[in-house]
Amino acid sequence: MFFKSLAVFSALAAGLANAVVHEVTVGGGGALVFTPNQIAVAIKGDVIHFTFKTLNGTATQSSFDKPCEMIPEGGFDSGFQAVDPAATSFPTYDLPINDTTPVWVVCRQAGHCKVGMVFAVNAPTKNMTFDRFMANAMSMSMPMTDSSAPTAASATGAAASTPRSTGNAAGRTVALMNWKAMGAVALGILAGAAVVV
């Protein structure tokens, strides 16, 4: 029993250690874009780290079929992130990934989605592709305008986090290390309980 529990704990801890932080810039250089505009492969434990460089944009969960509409319940939203043109530190929003389900993201600032300010995680390479998602967004007749939506809710395929502003790589590293440490402690407790039983 002890060795089986130890093996399970080791496998789970290894998964946390391999988590990747995917950096995404929102509105860099004044352009209405997410850069990169998609993350092809993100797995459980990875984090999408949005950094808002210019504009008053958002990272808001939508759907493939209705890209310029925010998911009304259960979707995530960073809230509007205004950036001063003279800023040297920038607001951020972290999106932990829970599985490999596609996640569709847009900027909900009026008109931004319609011009192609969209982003995807784990978009399929056939049928519901990123290119089709962008084309759907650009063909929409009504831009997003709702600025009263919630700022953090659970999401299909991803769990939203509370927006935070760090503005530096050290802050992101510490936050991720704290997140991993909490997971490792929880796994250690779980493994310890399995050994006692």
Side-chain angles (χ1 to χ4, degrees):
M1 180 69 167
F2 173 76
F3 292 110
K4 184 176 182 181
S5 297
L6 186 58
V8 169
F9 173 73
S10 296
L12 291 173
L16 285 175
N18 293 327
V20 174
V21 176
H22 301 276
E23 300 284 340
V24 178
T25 301
V26 183
L32 299 178
V33 295
F34 289 86
T35 307
N37 61 7
Q38 64 179 311
I39 303 296
V41 179
I43 60 172
K44 183 175 182 168
D46 284 4
V47 175
I48 308 301
H49 182 78
F50 295 98
T51 301
F52 297 84
K53 290 289 182 111
T54 55
L55 311 170
N56 187 24
T58 72
T60 303
Q61 187 174 14
S62 68
S63 67
F64 180 84
D65 294 326
K66 297 179 180 180
C68 294
E69 292 181 26
M70 182 173 154
I71 292 178
E73 292 185 30
F76 64 83
D77 179 33
S78 67
F80 285 96
Q81 303 293 321
V83 178
D84 185 307
T88 57
S89 64
F90 302 96
T92 63
Y93 181 80
D94 285 344
L95 176 67
I97 299 299
N98 289 333
D99 57 34
T100 57
T101 302
V103 179
W104 309 103
V105 181
V106 298
C107 176
R108 69 179 168 95
Q109 182 63 265
H112 289 193
C113 178
K114 185 166 174 49
V115 297
M117 192 168 181
V118 299
F119 171 80
V121 179
N122 295 327
T125 56
K126 294 181 181 178
N127 300 321
M128 294 174 55
T129 65
F130 175 79
D131 290 337
R132 287 188 63 199
F133 174 62
M134 182 179 275
N136 286 349
M138 295 175 79
S139 69
M140 300 301 292
S141 60
M142 296 295 292
M144 253 187 218
T145 57
D146 180 13
S147 62
S148 63
T151 59
S154 64
T156 302
S161 66
T162 302
R164 63 176 178 83
S165 295
T166 60
N168 63 51
R172 288 192 302 272
T173 303
V174 168
L176 185 58
M177 287 172 47
N178 289 341
W179 175 75
K180 285 183 180 179
M182 288 187 304
V185 167
L187 290 173
I189 291 168
L190 213 76
V195 170
V196 172
V197 172

